[in-house]
């Protein structure tokens, strides 16, 4: 079996602010899959994040949305260089995100992270196992 694409679905309060946040970080959106209730952020040609209004998100699950300072998921993404990792995290913080923890350097792997404007956790990393 081979997975062709991945769509991560996350609830948000404001789709337009979320779209602005992610485009300010340098990510494109798929306008054909976006509307006033969702924005599709393109991570690469096979990975997408669907940010859905809380109301729209609730149509996909009968479970209640978390409220308060709870963590349901941390999304980890890998980039090509350490510099890109810091660029994305710094741009996120400059656009309203908060730093999750201090960067971690393990020699062969570098890791930085942030909580986005909707409270979703993002771990951004670069690894070179060679």
């Amino acid at each position: 079996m081979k997975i062709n694409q991945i769509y991560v679905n996350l609830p948000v309060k404001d789709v337009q602010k979320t779209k602005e946040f992610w485009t300010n970080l340098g990510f494109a959106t798929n306008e054909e899959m976006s509307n006033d209730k969702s924005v599709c952020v393109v991570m690469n040609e096979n990975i997408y994040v669907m940010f859905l209004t809380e109301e729209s998100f609730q149509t996909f699950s009968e479970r209640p949305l978390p409220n308060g300072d709870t963590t349901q998921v941390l999304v980890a993404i890998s980039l090509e260089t350490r510099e890109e990792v810091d660029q994305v995290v710094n741009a996120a913080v400059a656009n309203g995100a908060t730093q999750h923890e201090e960067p971690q350097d393990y020699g062969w792997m570098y890791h930085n992270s942030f909580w986005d404007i909707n409270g979703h956790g993002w771990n951004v990393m670069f690894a070179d196992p060679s």
Side-chain angles (χ1 to χ4, degrees):
M1 178 182 342
K2 179 182 173 191
I3 296 173
N4 294 322
Q5 297 177 324
I6 295 175
Y7 290 84
V8 177
N9 297 287
L10 297 171
V12 300
K13 293 193 182 309
D14 189 315
V15 167
Q16 187 57 38
K17 284 184 181 177
T18 300
K19 179 179 180 178
E20 290 170 12
F21 175 83
W22 286 98
T23 56
N24 286 341
L25 270 59
F27 291 92
T29 59
N30 180 327
E31 293 304 316
E32 292 176 353
M33 296 182 65
S34 302
N35 56 41
D36 61 333
K37 295 180 183 176
S38 67
V39 61
C40 177
V41 175
V42 180
M43 296 285 156
N44 72 21
E45 62 275 358
N46 295 316
I47 302 171
Y48 306 88
V49 180
M50 294 295 300
F51 293 101
L52 307 161
T53 62
E54 292 177 344
E55 296 80 20
S56 182
F57 185 87
Q58 288 283 199
T59 65
F60 295 99
S61 174
E62 71 283 354
R63 292 186 174 191
L65 293 174
N67 52 5
D69 290 330
T70 60
T71 302
Q72 294 291 322
V73 65
L74 292 172
V75 181
I77 58 175
S78 177
L79 299 177
E80 295 290 324
T81 66
R82 291 174 53 120
E83 293 76 22
E84 284 183 341
V85 169
D86 286 336
Q87 286 172 353
V88 167
V89 173
N90 292 340
V93 171
N95 283 282
T98 56
Q99 185 81 35
H100 174 231
E101 61 186 2
E102 292 300 315
Q104 305 292 315
D105 188 346
Y106 301 103
W108 64 277
M109 183 175 74
Y110 179 73
H111 167 267
N112 204 341
S113 58
F114 65 92
W115 299 107
D116 72 17
I117 61 171
N118 295 290
H120 304 298
W122 295 85
N123 292 331
V124 188
M125 62 171 277
F126 164 73
D128 183 4
S130 64

